[in-house]
């Protein structure tokens, strides 16, 4: 078996870098990157619209067959190369072709992460504004929720809250991985689950909520024959695990060599599925209790749910819990996305972290102010998620499993693992099933705009 350590040294990649201090800190950070507002405003809707229990089963199948190999591969690739996508791709082509042209391909997932973060920051600003309005009582008193959201999501309609979001992100990221990102996720992600479980319990005791459970978990075997359901389940598993050739890879690059990647990846997948199910149990029964139709996207968070809380006993209290939990999910996701370009500047331009953070956050804040309009940011996010993100995932998979090679991949995946993976079946699953599944997602995005 080739000496992977020697290959890494030959690539010239930086070996000394900040690391996650604990296994569970790393797991919570990866869960935080995966569990974002997309989990909250899309999974419950798709669960109900595409077969209920059938969709959940299909989603779990794809999470195991595609999600786990993808997460394991990106974690191991980042740790093996001790770098984000630019350095990791450069190291892969250096190993195979003795030329680090892969760094140019690595720019694709790095830019994808930056662009998604810029768009995401607009939504974070909306969440902060709605949380502040919930605390003050303004949101509960406003009758026309649609008009309120239309005003906030217009051109330059939410500048103050938007910039407050960037300040929060700046002060988290300036402290680095172990003192900033790890500590934050160890606090916020457990709180996210606790807060949403409180909301799910409240939803369960609302009159008429049982219809929401029927809608979510009605089992119709005929739905298994619907190709569209399988496509949406594939897309949900793909995107909900934060597979992009960037975020999971960058967190893996800060993982110590003696940590068990296989164990960590299994926990990330488990908590991601649980987050989606708990969000569905908190939102859909409550909406049915108040006679509202199932919705997805911003209208769910900023129009439908405030209407639910307005008619609910102790609505202001539960409204504050809801937007606090949403903010936790959004912040833990966006710091993962911003870490990719920040690390890229540090590693490739040899900048101190403080300067790299300042450049990325300041530039992103300036750009994002000009896409505050809800329609504009929606188109921005669609372009990146449909075209750039699947391509980044595909490139990372090809680089690790094909360019670096099977022996290198298995060696680095099993490093530190208590239970080693069977190399034959896992390589077949990763090199073919995962890569083909990623190609399907890419093609569906190109031709059917599915993301």
């Amino acid at each position: 078996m080739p000496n992977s350590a020697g290959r890494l040294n030959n690539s010239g990649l930086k070996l000394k870098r900040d690391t996650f201090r604990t296994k569970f800190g790393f797991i919570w950070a990866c869960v935080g990157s995966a569990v974002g507002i997309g989990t909250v405003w899309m999974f419950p809707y798709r669960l109900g619209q595409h077969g209920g229990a059938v969709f959940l089963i299909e989603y779990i199948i794809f999470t195991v067959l595609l999600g786990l190999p993808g997460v394991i591969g990106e974690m191991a690739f980042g740790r093996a190369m001790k770098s984000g996508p630019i350095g990791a791709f450069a190291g892969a082509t250096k190993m195979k072709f003795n030329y680090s042209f892969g760094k140019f391909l690595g720019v694709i997932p790095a830019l994808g992460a930056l662009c998604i973060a810029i768009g995401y920051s607009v939504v974070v600003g909306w969440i902060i504004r709605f949380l502040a309005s919930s605390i003050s009582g303004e949101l509960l008193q406003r009758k026309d929720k649609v008009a309120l959201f239309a005003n906030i999501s217009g051109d330059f309609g939410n500048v103050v809250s938007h910039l407050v979001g960037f300040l929060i992100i700046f002060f988290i990221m300036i402290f680095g991985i172990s003192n900033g990102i790890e500590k934050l996720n160890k606090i916020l992600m457990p709180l996210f689950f606790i807060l949403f479980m409180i909301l799910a319990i409240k939803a369960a005791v609302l009159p008429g909520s049982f219809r929401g459970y029927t809608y979510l978990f009605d089992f119709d075997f005929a739905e298994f024959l619907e190709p569209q359901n399988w496509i949406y389940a594939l897309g949900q598993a793909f995107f909900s695990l934060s597979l992009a050739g960037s975020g999971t890879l960058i967190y893996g690059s800060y993982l110590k060599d003696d940590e068990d990647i296989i164990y960590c990846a299994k926990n990330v997948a488990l908590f991601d599925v649980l987050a989606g199910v708990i969000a569905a149990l908190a939102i859909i029964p409550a909406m049915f209790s108040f006679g509202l139709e199932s919705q997805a996207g911003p209208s769910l968070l900023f129009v439908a749910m405030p209407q639910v809380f307005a008619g609910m006993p102790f609505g202001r209290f539960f409204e504050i819990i809801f937007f606090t939990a949403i903010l936790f999910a959004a912040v833990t996701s966006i710091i993962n996305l911003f870490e990719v370009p920040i690390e890229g500047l540090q590693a490739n331009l040899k900048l101190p972290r403080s300067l790299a953070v300042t450049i990325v956050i300041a530039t992103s804040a300036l750009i994002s102010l000009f896409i505050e309009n809800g329609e504009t940011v929606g188109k921005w996010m669609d372009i990146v998620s449909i075209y750039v993100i699947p391509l980044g995932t595909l490139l990372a998979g090809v680089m690790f499993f094909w360019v670096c090679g099977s022996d290198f991949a298995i060696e680095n995946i099993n490093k530190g693992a208590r239970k080693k993976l069977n190399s034959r079946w896992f390589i077949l699953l990763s090199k073919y099933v995962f890569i083909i599944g990623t190609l399907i997602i890419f093609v569906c995005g190109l031709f059917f705009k599915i993301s």
Side-chain angles (χ1 to χ4, degrees):
M1 184 176 290
N3 187 324
S4 59
R7 287 179 172 180
L8 287 179
N9 288 334
N10 290 336
S11 70
L13 296 174
K14 183 180 177 181
L15 298 179
K16 185 179 180 182
R17 56 201 278 114
D18 198 359
T19 62
F20 288 98
R21 290 178 180 171
T22 66
K23 178 188 301 179
F24 289 103
F26 172 73
I27 291 173
W28 280 122
C30 290
V31 171
S33 73
V35 179
I37 54 174
T39 300
V40 176
W41 78 21
M42 188 57 71
F43 181 79
Y45 173 80
R46 284 184 172 171
L47 185 62
Q49 289 289 316
H50 298 286
V54 169
F55 181 85
L56 180 60
I57 293 170
E58 293 167 349
Y59 166 66
I60 292 173
I61 289 172
F62 284 127
T63 296
V64 173
L65 290 181
L66 273 81
L68 270 178
V71 172
I72 290 172
E74 289 194 12
M75 284 182 182
F77 191 20
R79 185 175 70 175
M81 296 299 180
K82 296 292 186 289
S83 177
I86 296 174
F89 286 24
T93 55
K94 179 73 172 179
M95 287 168 49
K96 181 74 172 180
F97 307 108
N98 200 32
Y99 182 58
S100 56
F101 65 87
K103 64 184 176 182
F104 300 107
L105 294 175
V107 171
I108 294 173
L111 281 178
L114 177 62
C115 290
I116 283 289
I118 290 172
Y120 218 140
S121 70
V122 177
V123 184
V124 171
W126 295 343
I127 296 168
I128 291 172
R129 176 67 178 274
F130 271 73
L131 176 58
S133 297
S134 299
I135 294 171
S136 69
E138 175 196 1
L139 184 56
L140 208 63
Q141 295 170 4
R142 290 288 295 261
K143 299 296 183 182
D144 193 344
K145 315 295 185 185
V146 176
L148 174 63
F149 180 59
N151 290 333
I152 292 173
S153 60
D155 292 325
F156 303 103
N158 193 40
V159 173
V160 174
S161 296
H162 191 160
L163 295 180
V164 167
F166 272 107
L167 282 176
I168 293 171
I169 294 161
F170 176 84
F171 284 115
I172 292 168
M173 306 208 70
I174 206 75
F175 286 102
I177 304 304
S178 56
N179 289 323
I181 292 174
E182 180 175 0
K183 286 183 178 179
L184 180 84
N185 278 281
K186 286 168 74 174
I187 296 170
L188 295 193
M189 286 319 298
L191 284 175
F192 167 85
F193 281 92
I194 292 170
L195 293 176
F196 256 96
M197 284 189 286
I198 291 172
L199 292 170
I201 293 170
K202 176 60 180 178
V205 300
L206 292 172
S209 62
F210 69 92
R211 290 176 295 146
Y213 299 112
T214 302
Y215 174 78
L216 283 174
F217 299 115
D218 180 48
F219 188 91
D220 184 357
F221 187 78
E223 295 288 346
F224 269 115
L225 304 178
E226 291 292 333
Q228 185 183 42
N229 292 345
W230 286 92
I231 291 173
Y232 276 105
L234 172 60
Q236 186 68 41
F238 182 90
F239 288 102
S240 67
L241 283 169
S242 193
L243 292 173
S246 55
T248 304
L249 193 153
I250 194 69
Y251 275 0
S253 75
Y254 298 121
L255 189 62
K256 297 175 182 176
D257 286 341
D258 59 353
E259 294 289 1
D260 189 338
I261 278 180
I262 301 166
Y263 174 83
C264 292
K266 287 178 181 178
N267 278 277
V268 170
L270 173 63
F271 280 109
D272 184 63
V273 173
L274 286 176
V277 173
I278 293 171
L281 293 176
I283 292 172
I284 299 300
M287 292 183 66
F288 269 80
S289 176
F290 286 87
L292 297 174
E293 294 183 1
S294 175
Q295 300 179 41
S299 63
L300 170 63
L301 296 190
F302 304 112
V303 178
M305 289 309 294
Q307 291 176 357
V308 169
F309 295 124
M312 182 188 297
F314 304 103
R316 184 176 172 186
F317 171 74
F318 289 104
E319 192 171 65
I320 292 171
I321 288 179
F322 178 76
F323 283 109
T324 300
I326 297 297
L327 182 61
F328 290 171
V331 168
T332 53
S333 293
I334 201 170
I335 59 176
N336 171 253
L337 294 167
F338 275 130
E339 182 59 29
V340 179
I342 288 170
E343 186 274 347
L345 290 181
Q346 286 184 269
N348 293 281
L349 300 182
K350 310 304 180 186
L351 299 181
R353 183 171 182 87
S354 58
L355 181 56
V357 170
T358 302
I359 291 172
V360 170
I361 298 302
T363 304
S364 300
L366 180 62
I367 294 172
S368 64
L369 287 175
F370 291 93
I371 60 169
E372 272 198 342
N373 182 283
E375 185 176 339
T376 304
V377 75
K379 291 178 180 178
W380 173 285
M381 298 285 274
D382 283 345
I383 290 172
V384 180
S385 62
I386 290 172
Y387 303 111
V388 183
I389 297 302
L391 180 58
T393 311
L394 179 64
L395 289 172
V398 170
M399 285 289 175
F400 187 52
F401 293 110
W402 287 91
V403 177
C404 291
S406 302
D407 290 343
F408 179 86
I410 285 296
E411 176 189 353
N412 283 281
I413 288 169
N414 282 331
K415 186 182 294 183
R418 290 174 295 179
K419 294 183 179 179
K420 310 292 185 184
L421 280 177
N422 180 296
S423 59
R424 183 178 180 182
W425 71 260
F426 186 79
I427 287 298
L428 288 174
L429 190 64
S430 302
K431 292 182 73 171
Y432 300 101
V433 178
F434 172 68
I435 298 297
I436 291 172
T438 306
L439 274 172
I440 291 172
I441 287 292
F442 188 56
V443 170
C444 287
L446 289 175
F447 294 100
F448 305 110
K449 302 298 184 288
I450 293 176
S451 64

